[in-house]
Amino acid sequence: MNQMIGVLDNQARLARVDSSVWSRWVIVIGALSIHTLLFIPSTVTFGVVSGVFLIVPAALAGWWFGIKGGFVAGVAGTFLHCLLLIVGANAVPSDILHIIPVFALLPTSGVLAGMYKVERVRVRGLEQARAIENEKFQQAQESWKSTEEELRELEREYSAMVMQARDGILILQDDTIVFANRSLSELAGYASTEEIRRIPYLDVIAEESRVPFRQYIEARMRGEQVTPCFEAKLRTKSGEVLDVEITITSTQYYMRSASLGVVRDITEKKRDEQRLRDSLREKEVMLKEIHHRVKNNLQVISSLLSLQSDTIEDPVDQELFKESENRVRSMAVIHEKLYQSKDLALIDFGDYLLNITSWLFRSYHMTERVTCTVVAQDVSLGIDAAIPCGLIINELVSNALKYAFPDGREGKLSVVFARGDEGQLRLTVSDDGIGMASDISMENSKTLGLRLISILIRQLGGTVQMDGSNGTTFRIEFANH
């Protein structure tokens, strides 16, 4: 429906244009006809004078229909009036030749009128175009002013944010500080931001940090994968040296490449870290001293038991004292390894195994008859697991040396400490001695050693398997918490 209405409007507009054109041509032709009827020349002179009035329709045609229309109307009027002169004034061709320059005014007037109309149209078009351009320019100017005001408002907001930021912010260009916020100037000891600007950035970097800091900036500007933060020493205007953390990124400043830096004062953080390290060092020394004293006390107890066993003649009682001495010794070695270790929370249990098994072999004088093999992976244990595990090893190795090789029998003893496939710890103590009786179990044993092993395994949250068919083998598994 809307398309149909549009087509009808276009047809109506074209009809109005056509009727306007035809009506104007009717006016021009009518003017020529009226002139011909009213001013039929009776003489040549009167014909020349009356022909001048034909300029009016020619000029109208030029004004309405342009240069071509004015020219056609002027030529037509000239020929028509010449014909009337020949008919009405009996003019001869020679007379007409004399007045042709006069009649040349008719097409000339039509052309001039058309040219004037074209020029008027052109000037009016230029004026309209200029008005449109002025309107567009004013709109663009208003839009530009609005955008400029928005940009200025954003600039004021960002400037306030940057200037009030707690961290120092700077822009480096050509090794010079070209921008700095208030926090940076206060951090560096300058009275204002203008004072710190236009100075080489290395002037605010301490001597020992200048070379690595320059290398860091160059690497960041090249886009290399380096740590985003760089710790450096900042030298203030008064000469004080502060610890700072600097982050550098590339940016554009006034259409040129530059480096944007954020500077954070970490002096107090460094001091706190140093105080914490000093405190930890003091506690480590104290803890080492505690382990050292515990080891010494346990060794004193072990020595007292040894001295006391020397005064006892009953072999059974002597053996009891010796077992107690070895148990105390196994715990003393744990504390000894702890205060000798760099990590006071963990001990190298492989080294501990070598130490304790060597001591037990010497204690029972079995170094010549029994071959000992110790296999231990790189496993570290905390004191909560190391002491019960050490006591278990002490009991198992002691029992093997006491009972597995009677009457001077030779043999082999193996101690293996390793990680299982699922991360659990596995301790295996085996010998090729005479083995254990089939009716002996850890639950109903009357000996202190086996009962102690069972208690310690439960303390570790582990499991045990015992095999006495071919020698004796104990396999113990527990998690390393």
Side-chain angles (χ1 to χ4, degrees):
M1 186 68 182
N2 292 332
Q3 293 180 352
M4 184 179 295
I5 294 174
V7 171
L8 294 175
D9 289 342
N10 289 333
Q11 291 178 353
R13 183 174 57 81
L14 292 175
R16 286 195 299 271
V17 172
D18 292 341
S19 62
S20 176
V21 171
W22 284 110
S23 62
R24 290 177 181 179
W25 274 115
V26 168
I27 293 173
V28 171
I29 295 172
L32 291 174
S33 300
I34 293 171
H35 181 275
T36 301
L37 294 174
L38 295 178
F39 300 100
I40 297 177
S42 58
T43 64
V44 174
T45 303
F46 180 75
V48 172
V49 174
S50 63
V52 174
F53 290 98
L54 288 174
I55 294 175
V56 175
L60 288 175
W63 178 262
W64 283 337
F65 306 112
I67 297 174
K68 290 182 180 180
F71 180 76
V72 170
V75 171
T78 299
F79 280 102
L80 178 62
H81 203 64
C82 288
L83 182 61
L84 291 175
L85 285 174
I86 294 173
V87 175
N90 298 320
V92 297
S94 59
D95 295 330
I96 295 174
L97 291 176
H98 289 296
I99 63 175
I100 282 178
V102 176
F103 289 110
L105 290 174
L106 298 179
T108 302
S109 62
V111 170
L112 291 177
M115 292 176 63
Y116 178 73
K117 177 61 179 296
V118 170
E119 181 65 17
R120 281 289 304 272
V121 171
R122 187 184 70 82
V123 171
R124 185 175 298 173
L126 290 176
E127 291 176 350
Q128 292 177 351
R130 188 177 294 110
I132 294 173
E133 291 297 326
N134 289 336
E135 184 179 359
K136 290 182 178 179
F137 176 75
Q138 290 177 357
Q139 293 176 353
Q141 192 175 24
E142 292 175 358
S143 175
W144 179 78
K145 288 181 179 179
S146 176
T147 304
E148 184 182 23
E149 185 61 31
E150 292 178 359
L151 290 176
R152 287 179 179 175
E153 182 64 25
L154 288 175
E155 183 181 4
R156 285 192 292 268
E157 292 178 0
Y158 283 120
S159 177
M161 291 171 59
V162 170
M163 295 303 291
Q164 295 176 6
R166 295 180 60 185
D167 293 334
I169 299 176
L170 56 82
I171 296 178
L172 307 178
Q173 205 170 59
D174 299 329
D175 296 337
T176 303
I177 300 175
V178 295
F179 173 82
N181 69 343
R182 188 179 299 109
S183 296
L184 181 66
S185 62
E186 293 175 355
L187 181 64
Y190 289 85
S192 64
T193 57
E194 288 74 15
E195 187 179 0
I196 196 174
R197 294 180 185 178
R198 304 303 174 187
I199 68 173
Y201 74 87
L202 290 179
D203 287 358
V204 297
I205 302 296
E207 186 69 30
E208 62 268 26
S209 298
R210 290 180 179 178
V211 174
F213 182 59
R214 177 185 286 275
Q215 294 173 348
Y216 164 74
I217 291 181
E218 293 173 352
R220 291 287 289 175
M221 296 301 291
R222 289 194 299 266
E224 297 181 8
Q225 295 295 327
V226 295
T227 176
C229 297
F230 181 83
E231 291 188 4
K233 300 287 187 180
L234 184 141
R235 184 170 61 86
T236 66
K237 185 178 180 181
S238 61
E240 182 183 1
V241 177
L242 303 175
D243 291 297
V244 294
E245 186 180 72
I246 306 175
T247 303
I248 294 293
T249 56
S250 60
T251 186
Q252 292 285 323
Y253 189 71
Y254 286 100
M255 307 301 292
R256 292 179 57 202
S257 297
S259 301
L260 173 65
V262 178
V263 183
R264 176 170 295 178
D265 185 7
I266 58 172
T267 304
E268 287 300 321
K269 175 184 174 183
K270 285 288 187 180
R271 290 173 182 169
D272 293 340
E273 290 177 352
Q274 186 60 43
R275 284 193 291 266
L276 183 59
R277 283 193 293 268
D278 293 341
S279 177
L280 288 175
R281 193 176 297 110
E282 292 175 0
K283 288 179 172 58
E284 287 177 1
V285 172
M286 185 182 300
L287 193 55
K288 284 186 177 182
E289 182 63 22
I290 291 172
H291 285 301
H292 184 62
R293 293 189 180 187
V294 171
K295 186 267 299 184
N296 289 341
N297 292 336
L298 291 173
Q299 282 187 338
V300 169
I301 295 172
S302 177
S303 298
L304 290 174
L305 291 172
S306 177
L307 291 173
Q308 186 66 41
S309 65
D310 291 340
T311 63
I312 298 175
E313 297 179 356
D314 186 357
V316 177
D317 293 338
Q318 280 187 340
E319 187 64 28
L320 292 174
F321 271 87
K322 189 173 185 179
E323 290 176 357
S324 299
E325 179 187 351
N326 290 337
R327 290 170 183 141
V328 173
R329 167 91 183 162
S330 68
M331 292 186 290
V333 174
I334 294 288
H335 289 279
E336 181 182 14
K337 294 298 180 182
L338 279 173
Y339 82 76
Q340 291 176 350
S341 174
K342 293 182 179 179
D343 188 349
L344 294 176
L346 300 172
I347 66 169
D348 183 359
F349 207 72
D351 184 54
Y352 171 80
L353 279 178
L354 292 173
N355 189 302
I356 195 66
T357 53
S358 298
W359 160 260
L360 291 173
F361 267 74
R362 289 194 303 270
S363 176
Y364 287 99
H365 307 289
M366 301 292 285
T367 55
E368 296 180 358
R369 291 194 296 116
V370 179
T371 302
C372 180
T373 303
V374 178
V375 179
Q377 291 182 350
D378 185 14
V379 178
S380 297
L381 293 180
I383 189 172
D384 292 337
I387 289 179
C389 193
L391 288 171
I392 291 172
I393 293 171
N394 175 79
E395 295 300 324
L396 293 176
V397 173
S398 297
N399 287 342
L401 294 178
K402 287 189 299 182
Y403 304 118
F405 308 102
D407 304 325
R409 180 172 175 166
E410 296 181 354
K412 296 179 181 179
L413 177 66
S414 173
V415 180
V416 179
F417 191 71
R419 290 187 182 276
D421 296 335
E422 298 180 358
Q424 75 277 18
L425 298 178
R426 182 178 298 153
L427 173 64
T428 304
V429 179
S430 60
D431 64 73
D432 59 353
I434 62 174
M436 295 181 64
S438 59
D439 59 343
I440 297 178
S441 65
M442 299 182 66
E443 288 77 11
N444 59 13
S445 175
K446 296 180 180 180
T447 63
L448 176 62
L450 289 179
R451 294 203 307 271
L452 182 59
I453 292 172
S454 179
I455 293 172
L456 293 172
I457 290 173
R458 286 199 300 270
Q459 181 178 336
L460 290 172
T463 61
V464 60
Q465 294 179 354
M466 185 175 64
D467 183 7
S469 59
N470 185 17
T472 304
T473 300
F474 286 88
R475 295 184 180 88
I476 301 170
E477 289 188 1
F478 60 94
N480 185 14
H481 299 291

